[in-house]
Amino acid sequence: MSRYWRMKGYDVLHPIGWDSFGLPAEQYAINTGAQPVDTTKANIDNFRRQLKMLGFSYDWEKEIATTDVNYVKWTQWIFLQ
């Protein structure tokens, strides 16, 4: 639907986000000895590449990941209030 409206000339908010925290990333790091930040970034890059190849109409300028320093800063602030 967002692609249709974007092609009609409308501004459409269609963000994408990556929930990158969790036990699978931690367990993979333990099993392989790799840093979670590196493997998570590589996985996000690969998934983003695949979504772009499929032609999905996401607004890539509105992309957010829960491992982003700016995102973590605000979630920590919320918990400290």
Side-chain angles (χ1 to χ4, degrees):
M1 203 66 185
S2 65
R3 182 174 184 267
Y4 170 80
W5 288 107
R6 190 173 290 150
M7 290 176 68
K8 302 273 285 175
Y10 290 89
D11 288 328
V12 177
L13 177 64
H14 194 192
I16 181 103
W18 312 101
D19 184 11
S20 5
F21 283 123
L23 293 176
E26 294 297 326
Q27 190 59 47
Y28 184 80
I30 291 169
N31 292 344
T32 63
Q35 290 294 319
V37 67
D38 298 330
T39 57
T40 300
K41 183 182 178 328
N43 287 336
I44 290 173
D45 290 344
N46 186 44
F47 204 88
R48 183 187 308 112
R49 179 187 60 79
Q50 292 172 339
L51 288 175
K52 286 182 177 182
M53 284 176 47
L54 291 170
F56 286 118
S57 181
Y58 290 111
D59 187 350
W60 294 104
E61 293 180 5
K62 305 287 189 287
E63 180 180 13
I64 189 165
T66 56
T67 53
D68 181 20
V69 176
N70 292 319
Y71 179 87
V72 174
K73 175 180 80 172
W74 287 109
T75 56
Q76 293 300 314
W77 177 83
I78 291 169
F79 284 112
L80 293 173
Q81 297 305 309

